[in-house]
Amino acid sequence: VAFPPPAVSNVTVTEPNYCLSGPAATVGWSYSDPSASSQSAYQVQVDDQGSFNSPEWDSGKVSCSGCRSNSTPQGILQFNTTYKARARAWNQFDVASGWTESGSWKTPPHAYPQVDFTFAPVAPGQTQFIPDDPIQFTDQTRFFDSNPNGRRWSWLFGDGASSTQQNPVKSYVNEMNYNITLTATDNANQACSISKPINVQKPNPIWKEVNPGG
């Protein structure tokens, strides 16, 4: 008995959050079979040439009935490179579909900014964040672009104030917890953000022991 082959369609590629990850791809597909046989296995390839003669990623034949996606590991794909993916599947009779390709996509020119910052009171020796006292915010973002001229910073201080300076100085009026967010953008318009809390409160009172006898 010659069983009809299954079909793979709608091959899609989802790129990762580049603020958290290097180049990678999650390849998804749809599966159908004229004999109503379910999927038993699949194979995914990713190639930078489009010919798939020597793919950068080949999952091999993976036994999985319910799988409809496969992700490349980190360190396989590169920045500033155009790729294409393809997928095929086998039914329960071990009959394989043909290959179905995705559209091509290009990874970013370089890694996204790794955003970080610190903050400390301006007053020497002071460790608390006190209302009305200035606080120095210091950018510690790591950029991977070669041109520093296009870099931008956007600070949100949690009290409605903001700044576009790289290293602003800021004070708070009220005692409370604030959430500070820094968004850094490189010259390729690649932007990432990070948030950190700050607790602003009045200084602890200095207690002085007094002898009741005078």
Side-chain angles (χ1 to χ4, degrees):
V1 177
F3 295 100
V8 165
S9 60
N10 302 321
V11 176
T12 61
V13 174
T14 302
E15 295 183 74
N17 180 350
Y18 284 107
C19 292
L20 305 175
S21 171
T26 298
V27 181
W29 63 89
S30 298
Y31 172 87
S32 61
D33 188 280
S35 62
S37 177
S38 61
Q39 175 183 293
S40 66
Y42 71 86
Q43 184 177 8
V44 167
Q45 294 180 339
V46 177
D47 187 40
D48 65 354
Q49 300 296 324
S51 63
F52 295 95
N53 291 328
S54 180
E56 276 64 43
W57 169 243
D58 189 336
S59 69
K61 186 178 180 180
V62 180
S63 296
C64 184
S65 59
C67 299
R68 296 295 184 270
S69 67
N70 177 269
S71 298
T72 63
Q74 287 290 309
I76 299 295
L77 307 186
Q78 304 296 319
F79 285 107
N80 200 32
T81 305
T82 299
Y83 293 98
K84 185 176 284 189
R86 68 178 183 177
R88 64 175 175 173
W90 286 261
N91 63 17
Q92 295 295 325
F93 305 109
D94 204 33
V95 177
S97 72
W99 288 102
T100 301
E101 296 184 1
S102 72
S104 61
W105 81 97
K106 188 173 184 179
T107 56
H110 44 69
Y112 276 40
Q114 292 183 358
V115 184
D116 197 9
F117 64 89
T118 60
F119 48 90
V122 172
Q126 184 173 305
T127 58
Q128 284 185 281
F129 300 104
I130 301 171
D132 299 319
D133 280 9
I135 303 168
Q136 176 68 63
F137 294 87
T138 303
D139 168 57
Q140 291 191 328
T141 300
R142 184 182 178 191
F143 290 93
F144 298 90
D145 55 323
S146 58
N147 181 9
N149 295 327
R151 297 172 184 172
R152 305 189 301 277
W153 295 265
S154 176
W155 296 83
L156 298 176
F157 295 108
D159 62 348
S162 62
S163 176
T164 57
Q165 297 179 11
Q166 181 178 2
N167 301 302
V169 175
K170 153 82 176 165
S171 61
Y172 290 92
V173 176
N174 300 314
E175 287 186 278
M176 63 179 295
N177 292 319
Y178 298 92
N179 202 42
I180 309 152
T181 300
L182 170 61
T183 300
T185 307
D186 63 22
N187 62 13
N189 209 35
Q190 300 175 167
C192 294
S193 301
I194 191 174
S195 296
K196 295 184 180 183
I198 185 173
N199 180 28
V200 178
Q201 60 183 5
K202 291 180 180 179
N204 295 327
I206 300 175
W207 297 96
K208 182 178 180 181
E209 187 174 345
V210 178
N211 189 341

